[in-house]
Amino acid sequence: YSGVEKYYSEGKSDNKGKILKILVIALSAFLVIEAIIYSVVMPCLATPKITFVGLSSVSPETILEECGISETTSWMSFDSRSFASLVSTYPLIAEVSVEKKFPDQIVVNVVERKPICFTLANIDGKTVPIQIDKNGVIFSVGETMVPNSMPLITGIELSTVSEGMRVSTFYRTLLEQINDIWEINPAYFNALSEIRIIPTDFGSYELMLYPMQSQVRFLVDRTFDEKTLQYMMVILDVIDSVEPDVVEVDMRYGTVSYKKA
């Protein structure tokens, strides 16, 4: 019987080994599933971690609240395209892109609008500054903090004023010219206190430039660029030393004439 007992003992030992292997595999599988649940599934179902890049003029909380993002919103249910569309309607935002990063990260890249000029409007009996970007979008109404170097544009006709609206395409060329000067040398605008738009009888406009700390004004045509400002400063230096009583200089059509007080 010793042979039978030995066989039985070895068989019993093999069964224990198989059971142990099954338990180890089952436990390992359970741990893997648990790890997947905690590291992948649960983050996907939890509120996503939203990071804004390039946002400075408004708080992320304000945008999330206005876009309807709450604690019940999960990473899985987060609609990137819809969210980007909502953020892009915010007046301060020029461009936006949204990237979902597995399992719970959302990165919102934002390009804010930058003012290139401002104008003034009467709202509720008060004169307030209105900031305009290079595309003619009004995105800030009533903000009192306006950079000193930002040019004041007067003569813009506005039927209504609201953030997000665009000024007439009639002024688009001028805005493009102002933006070009910003890119070349913003310091040019430190020499100007006002740029006035003067409509003509032919459906166009001319410009009246008012240098800073000077009584002389300069009438120019629609060609408003770096050379125009350089020429203006040269003429102003000559006038201050030779003809101090000049009040207006006409620089239109490539000629120069002036009026005295």
Side-chain angles (χ1 to χ4, degrees):
Y1 296 99
S2 60
V4 174
E5 290 176 355
K6 183 178 181 182
Y7 175 79
Y8 177 77
S9 177
E10 290 177 353
K12 191 174 181 180
S13 178
D14 289 342
N15 288 337
K16 287 183 178 179
K18 290 179 180 180
I19 293 173
L20 184 60
K21 288 181 180 179
I22 292 173
L23 289 175
V24 171
I25 292 172
L27 181 60
S28 299
F30 175 78
L31 293 175
V32 170
I33 293 173
E34 185 179 33
I36 292 174
I37 291 174
Y38 278 97
S39 63
V40 178
V41 177
M42 290 184 67
C44 288
L45 298 177
T47 304
K49 299 175 182 177
I50 303 177
T51 303
F52 283 84
V53 178
L55 188 65
S56 61
S57 299
V58 63
S59 69
E61 292 76 17
T62 299
I63 290 184
L64 293 176
E65 182 178 353
E66 293 191 3
C67 292
I69 303 300
S70 64
E71 294 182 356
T72 60
T73 303
S74 68
W75 186 89
M76 289 287 290
S77 63
F78 189 90
D79 188 337
S80 298
R81 182 174 298 180
S82 176
F83 182 74
S85 179
L86 288 172
V87 174
S88 64
T89 63
Y90 206 84
L92 287 170
I93 306 301
E95 299 176 16
V96 60
S97 63
V98 180
E99 181 182 3
K100 292 179 72 172
K101 293 186 176 182
F102 189 82
D104 63 348
Q105 300 288 327
I106 294 175
V107 180
V108 184
N109 293 288
V110 168
V111 177
E112 295 186 342
R113 297 191 187 280
K114 295 181 179 180
I116 61 167
C117 64
F118 76 101
T119 187
L120 301 173
N122 189 285
I123 300 178
D124 297 329
K126 297 181 179 179
T127 300
V128 298
I130 298 172
Q131 297 185 36
I132 305 172
D133 77 347
K134 64 181 181 180
N135 296 315
V137 177
I138 293 174
F139 66 95
S140 178
V141 176
E143 293 290 338
T144 56
M145 297 300 294
V146 177
N148 293 331
S149 60
M150 190 183 303
L152 167 63
I153 312 296
T154 58
I156 295 180
E157 296 183 3
L158 299 171
S159 56
T160 59
V161 176
S162 62
E163 292 185 346
M165 68 170 284
R166 291 178 183 268
V167 300
S168 171
T169 55
F170 181 72
Y171 309 108
R172 186 61 54 83
T173 299
L174 175 60
L175 294 176
E176 291 175 352
Q177 292 170 336
I178 292 175
N179 186 62
D180 289 342
I181 295 174
W182 270 112
E183 293 180 351
I184 295 171
N185 188 356
Y188 280 118
F189 293 118
N190 292 327
L192 287 176
S193 63
E194 180 184 345
I195 302 172
R196 179 178 296 177
I197 299 172
I198 305 175
T200 65
D201 296 333
F202 308 102
S204 184
Y205 64 83
E206 296 171 336
L207 300 173
M208 187 72 79
L209 308 180
Y210 293 83
M212 191 72 70
Q213 299 178 345
S214 175
Q215 65 173 358
V216 183
R217 56 185 182 268
F218 289 78
L219 182 61
V220 301
D221 54 28
R222 292 186 57 162
T223 304
F224 181 68
D225 54 18
E226 180 186 18
K227 292 182 179 180
T228 301
L229 295 176
Q230 290 175 342
Y231 196 22
M232 180 192 75
M233 298 307 297
V234 170
I235 295 174
L236 187 61
D237 287 340
V238 173
I239 288 175
D240 286 342
S241 59
V242 180
E243 298 285 352
D245 58 344
V246 171
V247 294
E248 181 176 307
V249 177
D250 189 341
M251 294 171 52
R252 295 175 299 174
Y253 319 121
T255 61
V256 176
S257 60
Y258 58 86
K259 295 179 182 179
K260 292 186 177 181

